[in-house]
Amino acid sequence: MIEATDVTHYYGPYPAIQDVNFDVRRGEVLGFLGPNGAGKTTTMRILTGFLPPSSGSVTLDGYDVVEKSLEVRKRVGYLPETVPLYTDMNVTNYLKYMGTLRGMPAGRIRARVGEVIDVCRLGDYRKTQIGKLSKGFRQRVGIAQAIIHEPEVLVLDEPTIGIDPIQVVETRSLIQELGREQTVVLSSHILPEVSMICERVLIIHEGRIVAEDTPQNLAKGLEAVDRLEVEVGGPSAEVLPALQKIDGVISVNHRNQQGRHTYVIQAQPGRDLRDDISREVISNGWSLRGMQMMGMSLEEIFLRLTTQEDL
């Protein structure tokens, strides 16, 4: 559906993104993840035809975003980081106006306004002046204007930034619903947002793509240490040093949750310490209540790829 090839964009002498390559399949929800200033917004603007690349190319449904910009915009709904709202208009009139700007027939505009108001759960605010809405409801209006023309692709740039936790959950739920029918590209620096909504993750750092895969596959590819979570019934003052002394153990982190003692053990790469740990626990007369391998979280993956520190 979307294909970006060697995309680079400069602001003056400074590159915002360099040699960016990726594709988005039809019906996919892609998470575009990166720290602030990594190049996410620049990429979103290029995808939607609002900003031409300095070099490289982007096609959407076969149309070049520069040469066929109007065709691309017919097929894209865009929610920029700063939502383009006319605060002196009420919700219904604003959505009608946006439908008119997009060249929709008058009859279809009337029907579609009602549909998107329902989808975005704005029914109680259809006649409310936008300037009087909370940030969260303004964000919903922004999503409504992005889908008013029934685009095939929805591009959302930081859709939950600056709204309260309850509205974040509701906005995520709305995006998940939209993702069942549309191709969605979601940019964010909020890790739980991407892991909860997106099927595939693309990580950008300092203007370059540094990883692209599902969170699960990224974790497998980046695992530098094997980690085990072990629950032991025994005095932690004795269990902790005993586990730390096992050959091949790098570190042990003890957790006590309401009397439940667990130990997260990091082992040297390629070392399977399950048998050694079991023998140590049993030989001391403690009970081994559980043991499981642990994968990397999306947060750990993100930090591994965007910092120079070893986790």
Side-chain angles (χ1 to χ4, degrees), residues 278-298:
S278 299
R279 281 193 293 268
E280 184 68 26
V281 171
I282 293 169
S283 67
N284 281 283
W286 305 320
S287 59
L288 182 59
R289 296 174 177 172
M291 182 185 297
Q292 63 178 354
M293 300 293 292
M294 297 178 66
M296 295 178 72
S297 68
L298 185 58

Side-chain angles (χ1 to χ4, degrees), residues 54-103:
S54 300
S55 63
S57 65
V58 178
T59 59
L60 188 147
D61 199 20
Y63 294 98
D64 186 278
V65 296
V66 176
E67 296 177 359
K68 299 290 184 181
S69 178
L70 290 179
E71 291 297 329
V72 168
R73 295 185 193 207
K74 290 176 184 177
R75 292 163 173 79
V76 173
Y78 180 35
L79 178 70
E81 186 174 350
T82 302
V83 186
L85 301 175
Y86 293 98
T87 55
D88 57 339
M89 300 177 74
N90 69 39
V91 171
T92 298
N93 288 340
Y94 170 73
L95 293 175
K96 287 180 178 178
Y97 175 64
M98 295 305 293
T100 302
L101 287 182
R102 291 191 168 100

Side-chain angles (χ1 to χ4, degrees), residues 101-157:
L101 287 182
R102 291 191 168 100
M104 297 172 63
R108 184 55 188 151
I109 290 175
R110 286 191 295 272
R112 187 61 182 156
V113 166
E115 291 170 7
V116 298
I117 282 176
D118 289 341
V119 167
C120 296
R121 303 180 185 93
L122 289 164
D124 293 337
Y125 304 94
R126 62 179 68 236
K127 295 298 182 182
T128 302
Q129 187 176 334
I130 292 173
K132 296 180 180 178
L133 295 174
S134 68
K135 179 74 181 293
F137 279 100
R138 291 190 192 191
Q139 204 76 346
R140 292 191 198 185
V141 176
I143 294 174
Q145 66 81 25
I147 64 174
I148 186 75
H149 57 304
E150 301 176 271
E152 298 174 55
V153 177
L154 188 58
V155 176
L156 307 174
D157 190 4

